[in-house]
Amino acid sequence: MPILRYLESPLDDLLRRAADRDGDAPAVVTAQAAVTFAALDREADRIAHYVRRTVRRADAVVAAATTLDAAFPAVYYGTVRSGRLLALLDPLMGQAALHEVCTAAGVEIAFVPGPLAALLAALADRLPRLHTIVVTDPTTRPASSGRAPGGSAPGGPVPGRRPSGVPVSGAAVFGGRGACAVVTLSAALAGVSAGGPVGRARPGVDAVACLQFAPDGAGRLKSVRLTHRNLVAGAAQTALAHRLGAASVAFNHLPQYHAVHLNSAVHAGARQVLCTDPDPFGALAEAARAEATHYYGLPARLHRLADDPRLATGRAHLPGRHLSAIHVSGGVLAPERARVLRDALRVSVLQGYGLTEVFTLSHHQPPGSRPGLGAVGVPLPGTECRVVVPGSTRPAPVWSTGEVQIRGPQLSHGPADSPGPAARDADGWLSTGDTGYLDADGGLHLVDAHRSVFTCDDALVAPSVVERVIGQDPRVAECIVADWPDPARGALVWAGVVLREAPEGDAPGGNAPDVLDVLDSVAEQANARLGPGEQIRRLEALDAVPRRPGGRPARRELRLRLHALAAGEAAA
């Protein structure tokens, strides 16, 4: 295993060092432009200066949507460089989750794309700390990268949610407790120079750099505080495990940025090519033109690619000798689909393992690994893994199942406001809540995941958020949300609802048209407040929410039942 070495320095030093090493090398490439490391570093300086002069409180939190564009890396490193805590937002989240996250974080400034800006503007009177929304423009590039940034969009009030974008200006949006300014990124940075020191005290490596929110084991949104050490170590580990270097071309075909991929590429000095074409076959052709060495894809998209009939005949689109591996990111790809891709594209298709609760990778499959059910590979350099007998710290024998625990410098201490699963013990071991076993070579094989968190496309779904939205309908007495397996999308949102009053002549668990009409109406109203991945696709009337002795919802038992029903439907 490679020896892990990483600098004990602030996270933004990753970018500064890359700019010092090879400033003229392309850092981020989009369909519109290529931005060099030096230009990206200067833009991060401008963001840092803007944030420091715009925040109003010493404990200010700045939010940024992880949009797959050239603006996000500058905002990411610039906010960290400013010395302010950065909270990451899922650009696919709905209004309810957005409000919950921004309230919990106490966001003052938000860098977001147009649709998310519209949602935030509509919530402005319920977010008293939020005073500035900066609308990021995917076509905006650092001025030093070859073209000056564009001007601001026409001014005007923000009327609320719109299907795409919002009018923006320096004018205020009326809120119940104050005013919220909405500006474009280019307008915000107009007149902000990259020169001069940012003027912040250099943070310690164990200071918190980034705040992220994810569902915990029970499906509730919890905050995770990631330190500079966590993020810098994770970058070095992933770069080593994936064999990223200055000559690498990392092709990103994910719907949004994952910080671990951004940081590992910058750590290695690799070129990142961002692909926003949702068609996986078209993306494959683009990867070939970019001479990609590493391909990062979502399981749902790779599943569609494996089933695409063009794959068998499209030899002209084979990635060629440059591509070393396809890395499955954000979930699990069925082994049979991985084998189809491996045989058709003649490259390894590699699975990894990470925790949504702490936003990091812990395992990877080395190049040449064969796809297998539950196989997620070996620990990253510097990471330890053990499988223990449930309820103890006694290691289980090789090939014997038990609870998976991991330890490493990339791991945070788990949700900041919750003990239990995803919290580390006094010795640094994190209990994942997952069941698995180790083989004779130290490879981890997962048998069962005990968490209720799931992904639909690339959206992380917190069942509790969907349940709270459904529960606000006066016709609903109680409800429970779980995942319904869907190979092409990962999972769909299934909701079981107990109605307060059954339509006349019907029992709560019936399937008469009146009940179905009510259920359709409940889903329609809830979906209006939920994000794309949170949309309710299956709804069922229940007599009561299934519960365990003691009253807690029987989520695991429900998931097993739904997965069995889905398997039966698929086999029919």
Side-chain angles (χ1 to χ4, degrees):
M1 175 182 292
I3 298 175
L4 174 65
R5 294 186 178 91
Y6 62 92
L7 291 179
E8 296 198 351
S9 62
L11 172 64
D12 60 288
D13 277 5
L14 291 180
L15 178 57
R16 187 78 86 198
R17 291 175 63 245
D20 289 343
R21 285 194 312 265
D22 196 358
D24 293 332
V28 177
V29 178
T30 68
Q32 291 77 33
V35 182
T36 66
F37 282 107
L40 186 58
D41 189 54
R42 287 191 290 270
E43 190 75 346
D45 274 345
R46 296 178 72 206
I47 295 288
H49 284 295
Y50 171 78
V51 168
R52 286 189 63 84
R53 79 180 191 186
T54 306
V55 296
R56 298 175 181 174
R57 300 168 60 100
D59 61 347
V61 175
V62 178
T66 56
T67 313
L68 192 69
D69 57 32
F72 173 72
V75 172
Y76 179 80
Y77 291 114
T79 301
V80 171
R81 187 168 290 171
S82 76
R84 303 303 179 180
L85 189 61
L86 172 66
L88 296 186
L89 302 178
D90 182 345
L92 302 177
M93 65 174 37
Q95 188 179 57
L98 184 63
H99 175 260
E100 188 169 340
V101 167
C102 290
T103 299
V107 171
E108 280 196 23
I109 304 172
F111 291 85
V112 292
L116 217 56
L119 291 181
L120 275 175
L123 292 168
D125 61 342
R126 297 164 57 193
L127 297 171
R129 287 199 178 187
L130 179 67
H131 56 76
T132 304
I133 300 172
V134 181
V135 184
T136 55
D137 180 359
T139 63
T140 297
R141 294 175 290 178
S144 51
S145 67
R147 187 165 76 187
S152 60
V158 178
R161 183 169 185 172
R162 292 169 59 91
S164 61
V166 291
V168 289
S169 69
V173 178
F174 291 103
R177 303 185 187 179
C180 181
V182 182
V183 297
T184 62
L185 180 59
S186 56
L189 298 182
V192 178
S193 171
V198 174
R200 56 133 192 199
R202 190 172 176 84
V205 293
D206 292 317
V208 177
C210 186
L211 180 66
Q212 294 191 243
F213 286 80
D216 64 7
R220 300 165 301 203
L221 279 178
K222 297 293 180 180
S223 60
V224 179
R225 295 178 177 270
L226 296 166
T227 67
H228 292 269
R229 183 191 303 277
N230 296 151
L231 295 164
V232 172
Q237 290 173 304
T238 304
L240 272 175
H242 292 182
R243 304 182 184 181
L244 286 167
S248 301
V249 178
F251 189 85
N252 191 331
H253 190 224
L254 300 168
Q256 60 180 283
Y257 247 123
H258 292 183
V260 66
H261 299 318
L262 170 61
N263 289 332
S264 59
V266 172
H267 170 86
R271 178 185 308 186
Q272 300 173 72
V273 178
L274 311 183
C275 177
T276 57
D277 182 356
D279 175 28
F281 192 78
L284 188 67
E286 188 174 332
R289 290 191 294 270
E291 298 185 349
T293 59
H294 298 68
Y295 186 112
Y296 294 92
L298 194 68
R301 291 181 172 181
L302 295 172
H303 181 100
R304 293 199 299 272
L305 179 61
D307 287 345
D308 195 318
R310 295 174 293 176
L311 190 65
T313 58
R315 293 297 177 186
H317 295 300
L318 287 178
R321 61 183 177 85
H322 301 283
L323 189 64
S324 63
I326 291 175
H327 295 271
V328 183
S329 182
V332 178
L333 180 66
E336 59 272 16
R337 295 302 191 282
R339 285 190 285 269
V340 168
L341 293 176
R342 179 198 62 189
D343 295 343
L345 302 178
R346 303 169 188 168
V347 296
S348 297
V349 179
L350 305 177
Q351 185 70 54
Y353 173 59
L355 296 176
T356 55
E357 289 94 334
V358 290
F359 296 93
T360 190
L361 292 173
S362 66
H363 288 71
H364 75 108
Q365 287 186 310
S369 299
R370 294 183 178 182
L373 185 63
V376 296
V378 296
L380 268 62
T383 302
E384 301 172 80
C385 175
R386 69 183 184 184
V387 173
V388 300
V389 175
S392 75
T393 59
R394 181 163 54 89
V398 173
W399 305 107
S400 297
T401 60
E403 183 180 16
V404 178
Q405 295 184 340
I406 54 177
R407 180 167 66 180
Q410 78 274 39
L411 302 179
S412 79
H413 285 278
D417 47 2
S418 176
R424 296 167 68 179
D425 66 16
D427 295 322
W429 286 103
L430 184 147
S431 296
T432 67
D434 294 340
T435 300
Y437 64 87
L438 296 174
D439 61 29
D441 297 320
L444 177 63
H445 301 255
L446 296 180
V447 175
D448 186 27
H450 290 179
R451 293 161 288 161
S452 60
V453 179
F454 61 94
T455 57
C456 177
D457 295 328
D458 197 43
L460 194 63
V461 179
S464 64
V465 171
V466 183
E467 289 168 358
R468 280 194 287 274
V469 171
I470 296 173
Q472 291 172 4
D473 192 308
R475 295 166 293 182
V476 176
E478 59 178 345
C479 64
I480 187 168
V481 169
D483 57 309
W484 181 278
D486 183 279
R489 303 184 64 187
L492 302 176
V493 175
W494 175 96
V497 171
V498 179
L499 297 175
R500 291 189 182 278
E501 295 182 6
E504 186 175 351
D506 295 315
N511 291 315
D514 287 343
V515 174
L516 297 180
D517 289 343
V518 173
L519 293 179
D520 286 344
S521 176
V522 168
E524 182 179 1
Q525 291 191 26
N527 284 341
R529 299 182 55 208
L530 295 170
E534 298 169 328
Q535 297 291 297
I536 302 165
R537 303 298 181 184
R538 287 176 172 262
L539 195 63
E540 182 179 334
L542 303 177
D543 294 320
V545 168
R547 297 186 182 277
R548 295 176 179 173
R552 297 184 64 183
R555 295 186 182 276
R556 184 168 182 269
E557 294 80 0
L558 175 63
R559 289 183 70 246
L560 292 174
R561 181 176 74 85
L562 295 179
H563 285 220
L565 290 173
E569 283 191 10

